Amino acid sequence: MINGLAHPAFLVDDLDALAAKLPGAVPGAAFGGFRRVHVSDPVGNRIELMQRA
């Protein structure tokens, strides 16, 4: 069963620089040794960006 929170996640090298360029970027709680930011694409799909802490 797929829940409504399923979304792709991308591992990035400079989370802060990327998040600064994306309007609506929302910091997420750290998880499993990763810092996270969530953004939405133009049609509202959730996308997670992650960087190793």
Side-chain angles (χ1 to χ4, degrees):
M1 181 171 137
I2 298 175
N3 67 34
L5 297 178
H7 58 275
F10 297 94
L11 188 59
V12 300
D13 291 325
D14 192 343
L15 186 62
D16 295 325
L18 186 55
K21 295 177 183 179
L22 298 170
V26 178
F31 177 77
F34 290 90
R35 295 176 50 233
R36 306 183 306 161
V37 168
H38 295 98
V39 296
S40 295
D41 70 9
V43 295
N45 295 305
R46 179 174 153 178
I47 299 170
E48 183 174 359
L49 305 170
M50 304 171 72
Q51 180 180 351
R52 292 189 191 280

Short mmCIF file of all heavy atoms in Angstrom, two decimals:
data_model
loop_
_atom_site.label_atom_id
_atom_site.label_comp_id
_atom_site.label_asym_id
_atom_site.label_seq_id
_atom_site.Cartn_x
_atom_site.Cartn_y
_atom_site.Cartn_z
N MET A 1 0.84 -1.18 0.00
CA MET A 1 0.00 0.00 0.00
C MET A 1 0.88 1.24 0.00
O MET A 1 1.84 1.35 0.75
CB MET A 1 -0.88 -0.02 1.24
CG MET A 1 -1.81 1.14 1.34
SD MET A 1 -2.97 0.90 2.69
CE MET A 1 -2.95 2.51 3.38
N ILE A 2 0.57 2.21 -0.83
CA ILE A 2 1.32 3.46 -0.92
C ILE A 2 0.56 4.52 -0.14
O ILE A 2 -0.63 4.71 -0.31
CB ILE A 2 1.48 3.90 -2.39
CG1 ILE A 2 2.27 2.86 -3.17
CG2 ILE A 2 2.13 5.27 -2.47
CD1 ILE A 2 2.37 3.14 -4.64
N ASN A 3 1.28 5.21 0.74
CA ASN A 3 0.62 6.29 1.49
C ASN A 3 0.74 7.61 0.73
O ASN A 3 1.49 7.72 -0.23
CB ASN A 3 1.18 6.39 2.91
CG ASN A 3 2.62 6.85 2.95
OD1 ASN A 3 3.05 7.63 2.13
ND2 ASN A 3 3.37 6.36 3.90
N GLY A 4 0.05 8.59 1.14
CA GLY A 4 0.04 9.89 0.47
C GLY A 4 1.30 10.70 0.69
O GLY A 4 1.42 11.79 0.16
N LEU A 5 2.24 10.19 1.45
CA LEU A 5 3.46 10.94 1.73
C LEU A 5 4.64 10.46 0.88
O LEU A 5 5.74 10.97 1.03
CB LEU A 5 3.82 10.84 3.21
CG LEU A 5 2.80 11.44 4.18
CD1 LEU A 5 3.25 11.25 5.62
CD2 LEU A 5 2.58 12.91 3.90
N ALA A 6 4.44 9.49 0.03
CA ALA A 6 5.53 8.99 -0.81
C ALA A 6 6.01 10.11 -1.73
O ALA A 6 5.21 10.87 -2.28
CB ALA A 6 5.06 7.80 -1.63
N HIS A 7 7.33 10.24 -1.85
CA HIS A 7 7.90 11.29 -2.68
C HIS A 7 9.35 10.94 -3.00
O HIS A 7 9.98 10.19 -2.26
CB HIS A 7 7.84 12.65 -1.95
CG HIS A 7 8.56 12.64 -0.64
ND1 HIS A 7 7.97 12.21 0.52
CD2 HIS A 7 9.83 12.99 -0.31
CE1 HIS A 7 8.85 12.29 1.52
NE2 HIS A 7 9.99 12.77 1.03
N PRO A 8 9.90 11.49 -4.09
CA PRO A 8 11.31 11.25 -4.39
C PRO A 8 12.19 12.09 -3.48
O PRO A 8 11.78 13.15 -3.00
CB PRO A 8 11.45 11.68 -5.84
CG PRO A 8 10.37 12.70 -6.03
CD PRO A 8 9.24 12.27 -5.13
N ALA A 9 13.39 11.62 -3.27
CA ALA A 9 14.39 12.36 -2.50
C ALA A 9 15.70 12.35 -3.30
O ALA A 9 16.05 11.34 -3.91
CB ALA A 9 14.60 11.74 -1.13
N PHE A 10 16.39 13.47 -3.28
CA PHE A 10 17.64 13.60 -4.00
C PHE A 10 18.75 14.00 -3.03
O PHE A 10 18.57 14.90 -2.22
CB PHE A 10 17.52 14.67 -5.09
CG PHE A 10 16.51 14.31 -6.14
CD1 PHE A 10 15.21 14.78 -6.04
CD2 PHE A 10 16.85 13.50 -7.21
CE1 PHE A 10 14.26 14.45 -7.00
CE2 PHE A 10 15.91 13.16 -8.17
CZ PHE A 10 14.61 13.63 -8.06
N LEU A 11 19.88 13.32 -3.13
CA LEU A 11 21.05 13.62 -2.32
C LEU A 11 21.84 14.72 -3.02
O LEU A 11 22.18 14.59 -4.21
CB LEU A 11 21.91 12.37 -2.15
CG LEU A 11 23.07 12.43 -1.19
CD1 LEU A 11 22.59 12.78 0.22
CD2 LEU A 11 23.81 11.11 -1.18
N VAL A 12 22.11 15.82 -2.32
CA VAL A 12 22.80 16.97 -2.91
C VAL A 12 24.06 17.30 -2.11
O VAL A 12 24.21 16.88 -0.97
CB VAL A 12 21.87 18.20 -2.99
CG1 VAL A 12 20.63 17.89 -3.83
CG2 VAL A 12 21.44 18.67 -1.61
N ASP A 13 24.97 18.06 -2.73
CA ASP A 13 26.23 18.41 -2.09
C ASP A 13 26.15 19.69 -1.26
O ASP A 13 26.88 19.84 -0.29
CB ASP A 13 27.34 18.58 -3.14
CG ASP A 13 27.72 17.25 -3.78
OD1 ASP A 13 27.69 16.22 -3.09
OD2 ASP A 13 28.03 17.27 -4.99
N ASP A 14 25.32 20.65 -1.66
CA ASP A 14 25.23 21.93 -0.95
C ASP A 14 23.76 22.30 -0.76
O ASP A 14 23.18 23.07 -1.53
CB ASP A 14 25.97 23.01 -1.74
CG ASP A 14 26.17 24.28 -0.93
OD1 ASP A 14 25.48 24.46 0.11
OD2 ASP A 14 27.02 25.10 -1.32
N LEU A 15 23.16 21.73 0.26
CA LEU A 15 21.74 21.91 0.53
C LEU A 15 21.38 23.37 0.74
O LEU A 15 20.37 23.85 0.22
CB LEU A 15 21.34 21.08 1.75
CG LEU A 15 19.86 21.02 2.09
CD1 LEU A 15 19.06 20.40 0.97
CD2 LEU A 15 19.64 20.28 3.39
N ASP A 16 22.19 24.10 1.47
CA ASP A 16 21.89 25.50 1.77
C ASP A 16 21.85 26.36 0.49
O ASP A 16 20.93 27.15 0.31
CB ASP A 16 22.88 26.09 2.76
CG ASP A 16 22.80 25.43 4.13
OD1 ASP A 16 21.68 25.07 4.53
OD2 ASP A 16 23.84 25.29 4.78
N ALA A 17 22.82 26.17 -0.39
CA ALA A 17 22.87 26.96 -1.62
C ALA A 17 21.68 26.62 -2.52
O ALA A 17 21.06 27.52 -3.10
CB ALA A 17 24.18 26.71 -2.36
N LEU A 18 21.34 25.36 -2.61
CA LEU A 18 20.22 24.95 -3.45
C LEU A 18 18.90 25.45 -2.87
O LEU A 18 18.06 26.01 -3.59
CB LEU A 18 20.20 23.43 -3.60
CG LEU A 18 19.18 22.86 -4.57
CD1 LEU A 18 19.31 23.47 -5.96
CD2 LEU A 18 19.32 21.35 -4.63
N ALA A 19 18.70 25.29 -1.59
CA ALA A 19 17.46 25.73 -0.95
C ALA A 19 17.27 27.24 -1.09
O ALA A 19 16.15 27.71 -1.25
CB ALA A 19 17.45 25.33 0.52
N ALA A 20 18.36 28.00 -1.07
CA ALA A 20 18.28 29.45 -1.20
C ALA A 20 17.76 29.86 -2.58
O ALA A 20 17.18 30.93 -2.73
CB ALA A 20 19.64 30.08 -0.96
N LYS A 21 17.93 29.00 -3.57
CA LYS A 21 17.49 29.30 -4.94
C LYS A 21 16.07 28.82 -5.22
O LYS A 21 15.52 29.13 -6.27
CB LYS A 21 18.43 28.63 -5.94
CG LYS A 21 19.84 29.18 -5.90
CD LYS A 21 20.73 28.43 -6.87
CE LYS A 21 22.16 28.94 -6.78
NZ LYS A 21 23.04 28.22 -7.69
N LEU A 22 15.49 28.06 -4.29
CA LEU A 22 14.17 27.48 -4.53
C LEU A 22 13.11 28.15 -3.68
O LEU A 22 13.11 28.03 -2.45
CB LEU A 22 14.20 25.98 -4.21
CG LEU A 22 15.15 25.16 -5.08
CD1 LEU A 22 15.29 23.75 -4.54
CD2 LEU A 22 14.65 25.12 -6.52
N PRO A 23 12.18 28.86 -4.31
CA PRO A 23 11.13 29.50 -3.52
C PRO A 23 10.26 28.45 -2.83
O PRO A 23 9.99 27.39 -3.39
CB PRO A 23 10.32 30.27 -4.57
CG PRO A 23 10.72 29.75 -5.89
CD PRO A 23 12.04 29.07 -5.73
N GLY A 24 9.90 28.72 -1.61
CA GLY A 24 9.03 27.80 -0.87
C GLY A 24 9.75 26.63 -0.23
O GLY A 24 9.11 25.71 0.27
N ALA A 25 11.08 26.63 -0.23
CA ALA A 25 11.83 25.54 0.41
C ALA A 25 11.56 25.55 1.92
O ALA A 25 11.65 26.60 2.56
CB ALA A 25 13.32 25.68 0.14
N VAL A 26 11.22 24.38 2.47
CA VAL A 26 10.87 24.27 3.88
C VAL A 26 11.84 23.29 4.55
O VAL A 26 11.89 22.11 4.17
CB VAL A 26 9.42 23.77 4.05
CG1 VAL A 26 9.07 23.59 5.52
CG2 VAL A 26 8.45 24.70 3.37
N PRO A 27 12.60 23.74 5.54
CA PRO A 27 13.50 22.83 6.24
C PRO A 27 12.71 21.70 6.92
O PRO A 27 11.64 21.92 7.48
CB PRO A 27 14.18 23.71 7.29
CG PRO A 27 14.00 25.10 6.80
CD PRO A 27 12.71 25.12 6.06
N GLY A 28 13.26 20.51 6.85
CA GLY A 28 12.67 19.37 7.53
C GLY A 28 13.55 18.96 8.70
O GLY A 28 14.71 19.38 8.78
N ALA A 29 13.02 18.15 9.57
CA ALA A 29 13.80 17.64 10.70
C ALA A 29 14.90 16.72 10.18
O ALA A 29 14.69 15.99 9.20
CB ALA A 29 12.89 16.89 11.67
N ALA A 30 16.06 16.77 10.81
CA ALA A 30 17.14 15.85 10.45
C ALA A 30 16.66 14.42 10.65
O ALA A 30 15.85 14.14 11.53
CB ALA A 30 18.38 16.13 11.29
N PHE A 31 17.16 13.53 9.79
CA PHE A 31 16.71 12.14 9.85
C PHE A 31 17.85 11.24 9.40
O PHE A 31 18.38 11.42 8.30
CB PHE A 31 15.49 11.94 8.94
CG PHE A 31 15.00 10.53 8.87
CD1 PHE A 31 14.27 10.00 9.91
CD2 PHE A 31 15.28 9.74 7.77
CE1 PHE A 31 13.80 8.70 9.85
CE2 PHE A 31 14.83 8.44 7.71
CZ PHE A 31 14.08 7.92 8.75
N GLY A 32 18.22 10.29 10.23
CA GLY A 32 19.21 9.29 9.85
C GLY A 32 20.54 9.84 9.40
O GLY A 32 21.19 9.29 8.51
N GLY A 33 20.97 10.96 10.00
CA GLY A 33 22.25 11.55 9.64
C GLY A 33 22.20 12.45 8.42
O GLY A 33 23.24 12.77 7.85
N PHE A 34 21.01 12.84 8.01
CA PHE A 34 20.84 13.71 6.86
C PHE A 34 20.09 14.98 7.25
O PHE A 34 19.13 14.92 8.01
CB PHE A 34 20.03 13.02 5.75
CG PHE A 34 20.77 11.90 5.08
CD1 PHE A 34 20.68 10.62 5.58
CD2 PHE A 34 21.55 12.13 3.96
CE1 PHE A 34 21.36 9.58 4.97
CE2 PHE A 34 22.23 11.10 3.34
CZ PHE A 34 22.13 9.82 3.85
N ARG A 35 20.52 16.12 6.71
CA ARG A 35 19.74 17.36 6.77
C ARG A 35 18.78 17.31 5.60
O ARG A 35 19.11 16.79 4.53
CB ARG A 35 20.67 18.57 6.64
CG ARG A 35 21.62 18.69 7.81
CD ARG A 35 22.60 19.86 7.62
NE ARG A 35 21.92 21.08 7.26
CZ ARG A 35 22.25 21.82 6.19
NH1 ARG A 35 23.24 21.49 5.40
NH2 ARG A 35 21.57 22.92 5.91
N ARG A 36 17.57 17.90 5.77
CA ARG A 36 16.56 17.77 4.72
C ARG A 36 15.83 19.09 4.47
O ARG A 36 15.68 19.89 5.38
CB ARG A 36 15.52 16.72 5.10
CG ARG A 36 16.12 15.40 5.45
CD ARG A 36 15.11 14.33 5.77
NE ARG A 36 14.17 14.75 6.80
CZ ARG A 36 12.98 14.17 7.00
NH1 ARG A 36 12.59 13.17 6.25
NH2 ARG A 36 12.20 14.59 7.96
N VAL A 37 15.39 19.26 3.23
CA VAL A 37 14.55 20.38 2.82
C VAL A 37 13.47 19.81 1.90
O VAL A 37 13.75 18.91 1.10
CB VAL A 37 15.37 21.46 2.08
CG1 VAL A 37 14.48 22.47 1.40
CG2 VAL A 37 16.31 22.17 3.03
N HIS A 38 12.26 20.31 2.03
CA HIS A 38 11.17 19.89 1.15
C HIS A 38 10.75 21.06 0.26
O HIS A 38 10.69 22.19 0.71
CB HIS A 38 9.96 19.42 1.97
CG HIS A 38 10.26 18.19 2.76
ND1 HIS A 38 10.59 18.23 4.09
CD2 HIS A 38 10.29 16.89 2.41
CE1 HIS A 38 10.81 17.01 4.52
NE2 HIS A 38 10.64 16.18 3.52
N VAL A 39 10.49 20.75 -0.99
CA VAL A 39 9.97 21.73 -1.95
C VAL A 39 8.84 21.07 -2.72
O VAL A 39 8.66 19.85 -2.66
CB VAL A 39 11.07 22.22 -2.92
CG1 VAL A 39 12.16 22.97 -2.19
CG2 VAL A 39 11.66 21.08 -3.71
N SER A 40 8.09 21.88 -3.44
CA SER A 40 7.04 21.36 -4.30
C SER A 40 7.33 21.74 -5.74
O SER A 40 7.82 22.84 -6.02
CB SER A 40 5.68 21.94 -3.91
OG SER A 40 5.32 21.52 -2.61
N ASP A 41 7.03 20.82 -6.67
CA ASP A 41 7.18 21.15 -8.08
C ASP A 41 5.97 21.98 -8.54
O ASP A 41 5.06 22.23 -7.74
CB ASP A 41 7.42 19.89 -8.92
CG ASP A 41 6.20 19.00 -9.04
OD1 ASP A 41 5.09 19.39 -8.64
OD2 ASP A 41 6.36 17.87 -9.56
N PRO A 42 5.95 22.43 -9.79
CA PRO A 42 4.87 23.31 -10.23
C PRO A 42 3.46 22.73 -10.12
O PRO A 42 2.49 23.49 -10.08
CB PRO A 42 5.22 23.60 -11.69
CG PRO A 42 6.71 23.46 -11.74
CD PRO A 42 7.01 22.33 -10.79
N VAL A 43 3.32 21.41 -10.07
CA VAL A 43 1.98 20.83 -9.95
C VAL A 43 1.69 20.31 -8.54
O VAL A 43 0.71 19.63 -8.31
CB VAL A 43 1.73 19.73 -11.01
CG1 VAL A 43 1.74 20.31 -12.40
CG2 VAL A 43 2.75 18.61 -10.89
N GLY A 44 2.58 20.65 -7.59
CA GLY A 44 2.30 20.34 -6.19
C GLY A 44 2.90 19.06 -5.65
O GLY A 44 2.64 18.69 -4.50
N ASN A 45 3.71 18.35 -6.43
CA ASN A 45 4.36 17.14 -5.92
C ASN A 45 5.47 17.51 -4.95
O ASN A 45 6.24 18.44 -5.20
CB ASN A 45 4.95 16.32 -7.08
CG ASN A 45 3.90 15.80 -8.00
OD1 ASN A 45 2.96 15.13 -7.57
ND2 ASN A 45 4.02 16.12 -9.27
N ARG A 46 5.55 16.78 -3.87
CA ARG A 46 6.57 17.02 -2.84
C ARG A 46 7.89 16.40 -3.27
O ARG A 46 7.93 15.27 -3.75
CB ARG A 46 6.08 16.39 -1.54
CG ARG A 46 7.01 16.53 -0.38
CD ARG A 46 6.31 15.99 0.84
NE ARG A 46 7.27 15.50 1.80
CZ ARG A 46 6.95 15.02 2.96
NH1 ARG A 46 5.70 14.92 3.32
NH2 ARG A 46 7.87 14.62 3.80
N ILE A 47 8.97 17.14 -3.10
CA ILE A 47 10.32 16.66 -3.41
C ILE A 47 11.20 16.93 -2.20
O ILE A 47 11.16 18.02 -1.63
CB ILE A 47 10.89 17.38 -4.66
CG1 ILE A 47 9.99 17.10 -5.87
CG2 ILE A 47 12.32 16.94 -4.92
CD1 ILE A 47 10.31 17.95 -7.07
N GLU A 48 11.98 15.95 -1.83
CA GLU A 48 12.89 16.09 -0.69
C GLU A 48 14.32 16.19 -1.19
O GLU A 48 14.74 15.43 -2.05
CB GLU A 48 12.72 14.87 0.21
CG GLU A 48 13.55 14.91 1.46
CD GLU A 48 13.24 13.75 2.40
OE1 GLU A 48 12.37 12.92 2.07
OE2 GLU A 48 13.89 13.69 3.45
N LEU A 49 15.05 17.13 -0.63
CA LEU A 49 16.48 17.30 -0.91
C LEU A 49 17.22 16.99 0.38
O LEU A 49 16.84 17.46 1.44
CB LEU A 49 16.76 18.72 -1.38
CG LEU A 49 15.93 19.18 -2.58
CD1 LEU A 49 16.12 20.67 -2.80
CD2 LEU A 49 16.29 18.38 -3.82
N MET A 50 18.29 16.20 0.26
CA MET A 50 19.00 15.74 1.47
C MET A 50 20.51 15.96 1.31
O MET A 50 21.04 15.86 0.21
CB MET A 50 18.75 14.24 1.67
CG MET A 50 17.29 13.86 1.76
SD MET A 50 17.06 12.07 1.72
CE MET A 50 17.67 11.65 3.34
N GLN A 51 21.16 16.23 2.45
CA GLN A 51 22.63 16.32 2.49
C GLN A 51 23.10 15.62 3.75
O GLN A 51 22.51 15.78 4.81
CB GLN A 51 23.08 17.78 2.51
CG GLN A 51 24.58 17.94 2.56
CD GLN A 51 25.02 19.40 2.57
OE1 GLN A 51 24.23 20.31 2.39
NE2 GLN A 51 26.30 19.60 2.81
N ARG A 52 24.17 14.85 3.62
CA ARG A 52 24.72 14.19 4.81
C ARG A 52 25.12 15.25 5.84
O ARG A 52 25.73 16.26 5.51
CB ARG A 52 25.95 13.36 4.45
CG ARG A 52 25.60 12.17 3.61
CD ARG A 52 26.79 11.24 3.45
NE ARG A 52 26.52 10.23 2.44
CZ ARG A 52 25.81 9.13 2.62
NH1 ARG A 52 25.29 8.89 3.80
NH2 ARG A 52 25.62 8.28 1.65
N ALA A 53 24.76 15.01 7.08
CA ALA A 53 25.05 15.96 8.17
C ALA A 53 26.52 15.90 8.54
O ALA A 53 27.20 14.95 8.29
CB ALA A 53 24.19 15.65 9.37
#
